Amino acid sequence: MTICSSSSSSSSWSSSKTWIVHGIVAGAAIAVAIGARSYLGRSRKFRSRVVGIIPARYASSRFEGKPLVQILGKPMIQRTWERSKMATMLDHVVVATDDERIAECCRGFGADVVMTSESCRNGTERCNEALEKLENKYDVVVNIQGDEPLIEPEIIDGVVRALQAAPDAVFSTAVTSLKPEDGFDPNRVKCVVDIRGYAIYFSRGLIPYNKSGKVNPDFPYMLHLGIQSFDSRFLKVYSELQPTPLQQEEDLEQLKVLENGYKMKVIKVEHEAHGVDTPEDVSKIESLMRERNLS
């Protein structure tokens, strides 16, 4: 595999202080949330200007240097960028990174790059920092996962349209059918939605989970695709919200949106999920591309 070269009273008082602190923190969070909803309410119908941002970092516990790994002769980040450029709903596409190696590689194939800080805790925060540095202003930000080299442009367009059509949502994303063999794979994130297509929960575990403890071959489980679309004003609010318990336990950043009471629109698409999570996934992607005659 090659890399792109370009006891009593005191304890009671202590407990009381703890609850007071928790109350203050909770109150502050509620105030932020209420203010955010009021702020967003004035701008929801103005979602015509759209930017796609591909956050990319070099450091990774499972796959260091993943954005630069070669896939049939091109670095993966280039393949994701090329597919993203095919989406008709995006006015602009940029790569956001904190690593000069990734930046140099991306500039080499013609991508616009925004340098971000190493302190970003996740891709969403990196997108927010990149958005603030862009000269033009945008109403919608699409967070495009850099490890999806076969992302369908139609899915990008779909999540943008879904957010534009759902004024009560601040976030949209996509799911597809989950393969039974992936039911207990923690790298395959599952999703459940309500009858109106709004997200209820995401998990690395199998959801819903039945009493048999086995995958039900007749149930339409849904697999979350990493792409996310945000109202640009909410993106700033998101970065100011504190980490939440479910988000931290599952290590899924979208759960912070739900835990704070915001709505998330979900669309279902027909798509073979081909994300690159480990080095072993590279050969699978290359084999699939050869089968489809994708160069």
Side-chain angles (χ1 to χ4, degrees):
M1 192 182 307
T2 56
I3 299 294
C4 175
S5 57
S6 326
S7 286
S8 59
S9 60
S10 62
S11 63
S12 175
W13 170 235
S14 176
S15 177
S16 297
K17 289 194 295 181
T18 300
W19 282 109
I20 290 170
V21 171
H22 285 175
I24 293 172
V25 172
I30 291 170
V32 169
I34 292 174
R37 288 189 179 88
S38 175
Y39 187 54
L40 288 168
R42 298 193 297 269
S43 63
R44 277 176 175 155
K45 63 181 180 181
F46 304 113
R47 290 176 170 170
S48 59
R49 297 165 298 181
V50 187
V51 61
I53 302 179
I54 307 173
R57 65 190 185 97
Y58 193 90
S60 172
S61 58
R62 290 183 297 176
F63 196 170
E64 187 175 37
K66 182 167 65 170
L68 304 184
V69 67
Q70 294 282 314
I71 297 181
L72 293 186
K74 291 182 181 180
M76 180 167 64
I77 190 73
Q78 179 177 354
R79 292 198 174 277
T80 303
W81 176 80
E82 289 175 347
R83 300 287 291 180
S84 300
K85 292 281 285 184
M86 296 168 65
T88 61
M89 298 295 289
L90 300 182
D91 298 305
H92 191 34
V93 180
V94 302
V95 175
T97 185
D98 60 1
D99 191 279
E100 192 56 46
R101 289 165 291 188
I102 294 175
E104 182 180 356
C105 184
C106 292
R107 294 186 187 106
F109 59 74
D112 288 333
V113 178
V114 177
M115 297 302 297
T116 56
S117 67
E118 297 180 359
S119 63
C120 294
R121 293 170 293 185
N122 52 53
T124 306
E125 290 190 5
R126 197 173 303 283
C127 284
N128 180 54
E129 183 179 336
L131 178 67
E132 292 177 344
K133 292 181 176 181
L134 290 175
E135 182 177 348
N136 293 329
K137 302 302 179 182
Y138 297 93
D139 306 309
V140 175
V141 179
V142 186
N143 179 348
I144 304 169
Q145 302 298 303
D147 57 7
E148 286 276 354
L150 297 183
I151 182 69
E152 298 289 348
E154 293 80 9
I155 295 178
I156 297 174
D157 291 338
V159 296
V160 173
R161 292 191 179 101
L163 187 60
Q164 291 174 334
D168 57 343
V170 297
F171 182 119
S172 64
T173 190
V175 297
T176 192
S177 297
L178 176 74
K179 296 178 181 179
E181 60 267 29
D182 291 334
F184 295 102
D185 184 346
N187 292 320
R188 300 293 184 250
V189 177
K190 296 79 179 176
C191 175
V192 287
V193 302
D194 66 19
I195 60 175
R196 297 189 301 142
Y198 290 88
I200 298 175
Y201 193 64
F202 296 85
S203 180
R204 295 185 181 277
L206 182 66
I207 52 173
Y209 191 81
N210 59 57
K211 290 189 289 186
S212 74
K214 300 177 181 179
V215 174
N216 178 359
D218 298 320
F219 189 86
Y221 299 101
M222 292 186 291
L223 172 69
H224 181 224
L225 302 176
I227 187 167
Q228 304 165 349
S229 176
F230 291 89
D231 181 293
S232 63
R233 296 194 181 189
F234 174 73
L235 190 56
K236 178 175 177 59
V237 173
Y238 173 93
S239 298
E240 296 173 350
L241 296 173
Q242 293 299 307
T244 52
L246 296 175
Q247 173 203 3
Q248 293 179 311
E249 182 64 19
E250 295 263 15
D251 191 21
L252 296 173
E253 57 187 272
Q254 65 268 30
L255 288 177
K256 186 166 73 168
V257 178
L258 297 181
E259 286 186 86
N260 276 283
Y262 294 98
K263 286 184 174 292
M264 184 184 305
K265 190 68 175 178
V266 180
I267 62 169
K268 187 173 183 182
V269 299
E270 296 299 324
H271 176 67
E272 285 277 345
H274 302 297
V276 176
D277 296 307
T278 66
E280 292 73 28
D281 291 329
V282 174
S283 60
K284 297 176 184 178
I285 290 287
E286 291 183 326
S287 295
L288 182 64
M289 292 179 66
R290 292 189 183 97
E291 291 174 8
R292 296 183 177 182
N293 293 319
L294 298 174
S295 58

Coordinates of all heavy atoms in Angstrom, one line a residue, residues 115-149:
M115 N -6.9 25.5 5.7 CA -6.1 25.0 6.8 C -6.8 25.3 8.1 O -7.3 26.4 8.4 CB -4.7 25.6 6.9 CG -3.8 25.3 5.7 SD -3.6 23.5 5.4 CE -2.7 23.0 6.9
T116 N -7.0 24.2 8.9 CA -7.7 24.3 10.2 C -6.8 23.9 11.3 O -5.7 23.3 11.1 CB -8.9 23.4 10.2 OG1 -8.6 22.1 9.9 CG2 -10.0 23.9 9.2
S117 N -7.2 24.2 12.6 CA -6.3 23.9 13.7 C -6.3 22.4 14.1 O -7.3 21.7 13.8 CB -6.8 24.7 14.9 OG -8.0 24.3 15.4
E118 N -5.3 22.0 14.8 CA -5.3 20.6 15.3 C -6.2 20.4 16.5 O -6.4 19.2 16.8 CB -3.8 20.3 15.7 CG -2.8 20.3 14.6 CD -1.4 20.0 15.1 OE1 -1.3 19.7 16.3 OE2 -0.5 20.0 14.2
S119 N -6.8 21.4 17.0 CA -7.7 21.3 18.2 C -9.1 20.8 17.8 O -9.9 20.5 18.7 CB -7.7 22.6 18.9 OG -8.3 23.6 18.1
C120 N -9.4 20.8 16.6 CA -10.8 20.3 16.2 C -11.0 18.9 16.7 O -10.2 18.0 16.3 CB -10.9 20.4 14.7 SG -10.9 22.0 14.0
R121 N -12.1 18.6 17.4 CA -12.3 17.3 18.0 C -13.0 16.3 17.0 O -12.9 15.1 17.2 CB -13.2 17.5 19.2 CG -12.5 18.2 20.4 CD -13.5 18.5 21.5 NE -14.5 19.5 21.1 CZ -15.4 20.0 21.9 NH1 -15.4 19.6 23.2 NH2 -16.3 20.9 21.5
N122 N -13.5 16.8 16.0 CA -14.2 16.0 15.0 C -14.4 16.7 13.7 O -14.0 17.9 13.6 CB -15.6 15.5 15.5 CG -16.4 16.6 16.0 OD1 -16.7 17.6 15.3 ND2 -16.9 16.5 17.2
G123 N -14.9 16.0 12.7 CA -15.0 16.6 11.4 C -16.0 17.8 11.3 O -15.8 18.7 10.5
T124 N -17.0 17.7 12.1 CA -18.0 18.8 12.1 C -17.4 20.1 12.6 O -17.6 21.2 12.0 CB -19.2 18.4 13.0 OG1 -19.7 17.2 12.6 CG2 -20.3 19.5 12.9
E125 N -16.6 20.0 13.7 CA -15.9 21.2 14.2 C -14.9 21.7 13.1 O -14.7 22.9 13.0 CB -15.2 20.9 15.5 CG -16.2 20.7 16.6 CD -15.5 20.7 18.0 OE1 -14.2 20.9 18.0 OE2 -16.2 20.4 19.0
R126 N -14.3 20.8 12.4 CA -13.3 21.2 11.4 C -14.1 22.0 10.2 O -13.6 22.9 9.7 CB -12.6 20.0 10.8 CG -11.3 20.4 10.0 CD -10.5 19.2 9.7 NE -10.1 18.4 10.8 CZ -9.1 18.7 11.7 NH1 -8.5 19.8 11.5 NH2 -8.9 17.9 12.7
C127 N -15.3 21.5 9.9 CA -16.1 22.1 8.9 C -16.5 23.5 9.3 O -16.5 24.5 8.5 CB -17.4 21.3 8.6 SG -17.1 19.8 7.6
N128 N -16.8 23.7 10.6 CA -17.2 25.0 11.1 C -16.1 26.0 11.0 O -16.3 27.1 10.6 CB -17.7 24.9 12.6 CG -18.1 26.2 13.2 OD1 -18.9 26.9 12.6 ND2 -17.5 26.6 14.3
E129 N -14.9 25.5 11.4 CA -13.7 26.4 11.3 C -13.4 26.8 9.9 O -13.1 28.0 9.6 CB -12.5 25.8 12.0 CG -11.3 26.7 12.0 CD -10.1 26.1 12.6 OE1 -10.2 25.2 13.5 OE2 -8.9 26.5 12.3
A130 N -13.5 25.8 9.0 CA -13.3 26.1 7.6 C -14.3 27.1 7.0 O -14.0 28.0 6.3 CB -13.3 24.8 6.8
L131 N -15.6 26.9 7.4 CA -16.7 27.8 7.0 C -16.4 29.3 7.4 O -16.6 30.2 6.6 CB -18.0 27.4 7.6 CG -19.2 28.2 7.2 CD1 -19.5 28.1 5.7 CD2 -20.4 27.8 8.1
E132 N -15.9 29.5 8.6 CA -15.6 30.8 9.1 C -14.4 31.5 8.3 O -14.4 32.7 8.2 CB -15.2 30.7 10.6 CG -16.4 30.4 11.5 CD -16.0 30.2 12.9 OE1 -14.8 30.1 13.2 OE2 -16.9 30.2 13.8
K133 N -13.6 30.6 7.7 CA -12.4 31.2 7.0 C -12.7 31.4 5.5 O -11.9 32.0 4.8 CB -11.2 30.2 7.1 CG -10.7 30.2 8.5 CD -9.5 29.3 8.7 CE -8.9 29.3 10.1 NZ -7.7 28.4 10.2
L134 N -13.8 30.9 5.0 CA -14.2 31.1 3.6 C -14.6 32.5 3.3 O -15.3 33.1 4.1 CB -15.3 30.1 3.2 CG -14.9 28.6 3.1 CD1 -16.1 27.7 2.8 CD2 -13.8 28.4 2.0
E135 N -14.2 33.0 2.2 CA -14.5 34.4 1.8 C -16.0 34.6 1.6 O -16.6 35.5 2.0 CB -13.7 34.8 0.6 CG -14.0 36.2 0.2 CD -13.1 36.7 -1.0 OE1 -12.1 35.9 -1.3 OE2 -13.3 37.7 -1.6
N136 N -16.6 33.6 0.8 CA -18.0 33.7 0.5 C -18.9 33.1 1.7 O -18.4 32.3 2.5 CB -18.3 32.9 -0.8 CG -17.7 33.6 -2.0 OD1 -17.6 34.8 -2.0 ND2 -17.3 32.7 -3.0
K137 N -20.1 33.5 1.8 CA -21.0 33.1 2.8 C -22.0 32.0 2.2 O -22.4 32.1 1.1 CB -21.9 34.2 3.4 CG -21.0 35.3 4.0 CD -20.1 34.8 5.1 CE -19.2 35.9 5.7 NZ -18.3 35.4 6.7
Y138 N -22.3 31.0 3.0 CA -23.1 29.9 2.6 C -24.2 29.6 3.6 O -24.1 29.8 4.8 CB -22.3 28.6 2.4 CG -21.3 28.8 1.3 CD1 -20.0 29.2 1.6 CD2 -21.6 28.6 -0.1 CE1 -19.0 29.4 0.6 CE2 -20.7 28.8 -1.1 CZ -19.4 29.2 -0.8 OH -18.4 29.3 -1.8
D139 N -25.4 29.1 3.1 CA -26.5 28.8 3.9 C -26.5 27.4 4.4 O -27.0 27.0 5.5 CB -27.8 29.0 3.1 CG -27.9 30.4 2.5 OD1 -27.7 31.4 3.3 OD2 -28.2 30.5 1.3
V140 N -25.9 26.5 3.6 CA -25.9 25.1 3.9 C -24.4 24.6 3.7 O -23.7 24.9 2.8 CB -26.8 24.3 3.0 CG1 -26.7 22.7 3.2 CG2 -28.2 24.7 3.2
V141 N -24.0 23.7 4.7 CA -22.7 23.1 4.6 C -22.9 21.6 4.6 O -23.6 21.0 5.5 CB -21.9 23.5 5.9 CG1 -20.5 22.8 5.8 CG2 -21.7 25.0 6.0
V142 N -22.3 21.0 3.6 CA -22.3 19.5 3.5 C -21.0 19.0 4.0 O -20.0 19.3 3.4 CB -22.6 19.0 2.1 CG1 -22.8 17.5 2.1 CG2 -23.9 19.7 1.5
N143 N -21.0 18.2 5.0 CA -19.8 17.5 5.6 C -19.7 16.2 4.8 O -20.4 15.2 5.1 CB -20.0 17.3 7.1 CG -18.8 16.6 7.7 OD1 -18.0 16.0 7.0 ND2 -18.8 16.5 9.0
I144 N -18.7 16.1 3.9 CA -18.5 15.0 3.1 C -17.4 14.1 3.6 O -16.2 14.6 3.7 CB -18.3 15.4 1.6 CG1 -19.4 16.3 1.1 CG2 -18.1 14.1 0.7 CD1 -19.1 16.9 -0.2
Q145 N -17.6 12.9 4.0 CA -16.6 12.1 4.5 C -15.5 11.8 3.5 O -15.8 11.3 2.4 CB -17.2 10.7 5.0 CG -18.3 10.9 6.1 CD -17.7 11.6 7.3 OE1 -16.8 11.1 8.0 NE2 -18.3 12.7 7.7
G146 N -14.3 12.1 3.9 CA -13.2 11.8 2.9 C -12.8 10.4 2.7 O -12.1 10.1 1.7
D147 N -13.4 9.5 3.5 CA -13.1 8.1 3.3 C -14.2 7.4 2.5 O -14.4 6.1 2.6 CB -12.8 7.4 4.6 CG -14.0 7.5 5.6 OD1 -15.0 8.1 5.2 OD2 -13.8 7.1 6.8
E148 N -15.0 8.1 1.7 CA -16.0 7.5 0.9 C -15.7 7.9 -0.6 O -16.3 8.7 -1.2 CB -17.4 8.2 1.2 CG -18.0 7.7 2.5 CD -18.7 6.4 2.4 OE1 -18.9 5.9 1.2 OE2 -19.2 5.8 3.4
P149 N -14.7 7.2 -1.1 CA -14.2 7.5 -2.5 C -15.2 7.2 -3.6 O -15.0 7.6 -4.7 CB -13.0 6.6 -2.6 CG -13.2 5.4 -1.7 CD -13.9 6.0 -0.5

